[in-house]
Amino acid sequence: MLTTTARYATPNAAKYLRQLGSHFAHKVEVQLEDHRATCTFQTGTAALVADEGALTVRIEAPDPKGLIQTRFVIDSHLVTFAFREAFTGLDWSAADGDAAPDGSHPAGLRSG
C-alpha cells in the first residue's frame, strides 16, 4: 500500500473537513466524526483530520495511479471549497517506506 500525506494550514480546517465529507458522502462511503473523516474511494482511502490550525490528509492506495487519482479528487475539491483563501493545491509528501527499489518515488512523489 502506498501512502502520501499533506497538511494545509488554515483556520477553516473543520469547515473544509465537513464540506468534503458531506460532499463525498453522496458518492462514496464516508465516516464523518467531529474532527475526522475517512473517505473510501475506488482508487484509495483518504483520512482527514482537522485541528485548530490545519487540515491534514493521508491517502493510502494500492498503486501509484490510485494515489494520483485520489490526491486529485481531494485537491480539486479543496480548490473549490477554499477559493476565498486562494488555495491552489496541497503539497503532498510520500511516506519513507513508499520508495521504489531504485530509491525513486512513484508518480513524482517525494519523501518528506
Side-chain angles (χ1 to χ4, degrees):
M1 194 66 71
L2 300 174
T3 303
T4 186
T5 60
R7 181 172 169 86
Y8 175 40
T10 175
N12 298 307
K15 172 186 169 184
Y16 297 143
L17 180 133
R18 285 189 307 274
Q19 283 181 302
L20 290 165
S22 296
H23 179 77
F24 293 142
H26 294 285
K27 296 188 178 192
V28 299
E29 180 184 338
V30 174
Q31 295 174 334
L32 185 59
E33 299 174 20
D34 289 338
H35 296 285
R36 296 181 180 278
T38 303
C39 308
T40 306
F41 301 98
Q42 288 182 347
T43 56
T45 300
L48 297 86
V49 177
D51 61 36
E52 288 185 28
L55 176 66
T56 302
V57 182
R58 178 182 171 93
I59 294 175
E60 291 184 352
D63 55 42
K65 183 178 178 180
L67 212 56
I68 291 168
Q69 290 174 332
T70 308
R71 282 187 344 192
F72 177 78
V73 169
I74 298 296
D75 271 334
S76 63
H77 284 80
L78 257 179
V79 166
T80 300
F81 296 145
F83 71 94
R84 288 182 182 91
E85 296 181 29
F87 175 81
T88 58
L90 293 167
D91 184 17
W92 295 98
S93 298
D96 290 337
D98 290 340
D102 66 359
S104 66
H105 287 277
L109 295 177
R110 59 179 173 73
S111 61

